């Protein structure tokens, strides 16, 4: 346990400055985008009133109604996409950086006493901590954005709406719901473990065999999933809730498989 906390703390310290810089940039862009959307809407409204000699409400109708909060936060989906891309890239980088450089840090890790699974768990924990941090900052950002929206835009020009337009996936991030949060973290855990598996496979075999092994592992996920979907569409042997249970069971079994394989590669294939 002491080794786990030591390695986790070291991993967080090594990446904290980069993580904080990217997070700060994303928050600044998100808040700035809300200000821009509100001011741009008001500018279009004023231009329309002057050119067409319309009343304010007539100009609002011409612009398809008041500015919704979903429209004001329209750029958030791009920032979230950048955050997801950064998380995936970081999951690769947290391993590959250890193999490069003069000191070959990975060799020091592999020679530490104790089980190697601790190395895997510490890196996994670090990425998940950063995911949790990103989600927490996004929640704070959306609350600040709401205050900005209400402060900059007159009340009669505001309109209630979902946070990020009609995107169910993005609105799920901002529900502050425990179940939704758990689902997001579970999905993040699955994706991060997949990335770790790809890295460890590439480090364990020669390039050709590594690519074939990765392709096989991806096929083990995609082919059964497509087969189940085809079976359920073709027949009516299970109701929708039962189908979801089958899908989830398959995902859990596959997650157990890739987790076991990550540990096996780290213990028996990745060598000093």
């Amino acid at each position: 346990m002491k080794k786990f906390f030591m390695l986790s703390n070291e991993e967080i310290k090594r990446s904290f400055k980069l993580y904080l810089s990217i997070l700060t940039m994303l928050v600044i862009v998100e808040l700035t985008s809300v200000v821009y959307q509100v001011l741009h809407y008001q500018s279009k409204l004023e231009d329309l009133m002057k050119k067409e000699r319309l009343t304010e409400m007539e100009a609002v109708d011409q612009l398809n109604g008041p500015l919704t909060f979903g429209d004001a936060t329209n750029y958030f989906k791009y920032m979230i996409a950048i955050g997801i891309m950064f998380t995936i890239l970081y999951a690769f980088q947290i391993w590959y950086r250890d193999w490069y450089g003069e000191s070959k840090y990975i060799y020091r890790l592999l020679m530490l006493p104790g089980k190697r699974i601790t190395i895997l768990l510490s890196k996994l924990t670090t990425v998940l901590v950063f995911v949790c941090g990103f989600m927490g900052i996004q929640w704070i950002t959306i609350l600040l954005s709401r205050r900005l929206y209400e402060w900059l835009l007159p009340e009669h020009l505001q309109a209630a709406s979902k946070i990020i337009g009609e995107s169910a996936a993005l609105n799920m991030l901002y529900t502050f719901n425990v179940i939704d949060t758990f689902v997001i973290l579970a999905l993040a855990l699955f994706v991060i473990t997949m990335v770790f598996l790809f890295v460890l496979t590439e480090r364990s075999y020669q390039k050709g065999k590594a690519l074939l092994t990765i392709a096989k592992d991806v096929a083990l996920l995609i082919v059964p999933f497509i087969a189940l979907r085809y079976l359920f569409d073709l027949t009516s042997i299970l109701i929708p809730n039962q189908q979801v249970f089958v899908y989830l069971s398959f995902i859990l079994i596959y997650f157990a498989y890739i987790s076991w394989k990550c540990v096996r590669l780290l213990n028996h294939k990745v060598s000093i």
Side-chain angles (χ1 to χ4, degrees), residues 39-55:
L39 295 181
H40 182 61
Y41 177 82
Q42 290 177 312
S43 176
K44 288 196 300 181
L45 195 63
E46 291 174 4
D47 288 345
L48 195 58
M49 290 169 62
K50 289 178 182 178
K51 291 179 181 178
E52 304 293 336
R53 298 182 180 276
L54 301 173
T55 65

Side-chain angles (χ1 to χ4, degrees), residues 19 22-27 29-30 75-91 127 130-135 137-138 170 173-174 184 188 191-192:
Y19 171 75
I22 292 175
L23 205 57
T24 301
M25 180 198 70
L26 292 179
V27 171
V29 172
E30 286 175 324
Y75 285 100
F76 278 38
K77 58 180 174 242
Y78 303 112
M79 298 303 104
I80 293 171
I82 291 173
I84 293 171
M85 288 171 54
F86 167 73
T87 301
I88 294 173
L89 289 174
Y90 179 65
V127 182
F130 285 167
V131 170
C132 291
F134 174 73
M135 291 176 62
I137 293 298
Q138 284 301 121
L170 293 180
L173 179 64
Y174 297 105
I184 293 170
V191 173
I192 294 165

Side-chain angles (χ1 to χ4, degrees), residues 45 49 54-63 65-66 156-157:
L45 195 63
M49 290 169 62
L54 301 173
T55 65
E56 186 176 56
M57 295 313 297
E58 288 173 336
V60 169
D61 290 337
Q62 288 278 349
L63 293 176
H156 64 282
L157 296 179

Side-chain angles (χ1 to χ4, degrees), residues 9 21 36 71-72 113 122 142 179 187 189 205-206 250 252 260:
N9 181 58
S21 300
Y36 167 78
D71 292 333
S122 65
I142 204 67
I179 295 177
L187 181 60
L189 177 62
Y205 301 104
Q206 294 182 344
F250 168 69
L252 286 174
W260 167 81

Side-chain angles (χ1 to χ4, degrees), residues 139 167-177 179-181 183-184:
W139 288 342
S167 173
L170 293 180
N171 275 284
M172 181 180 173
L173 179 64
Y174 297 105
T175 59
F176 301 90
N177 184 288
I179 295 177
D180 287 343
T181 302
V183 170
I184 293 170

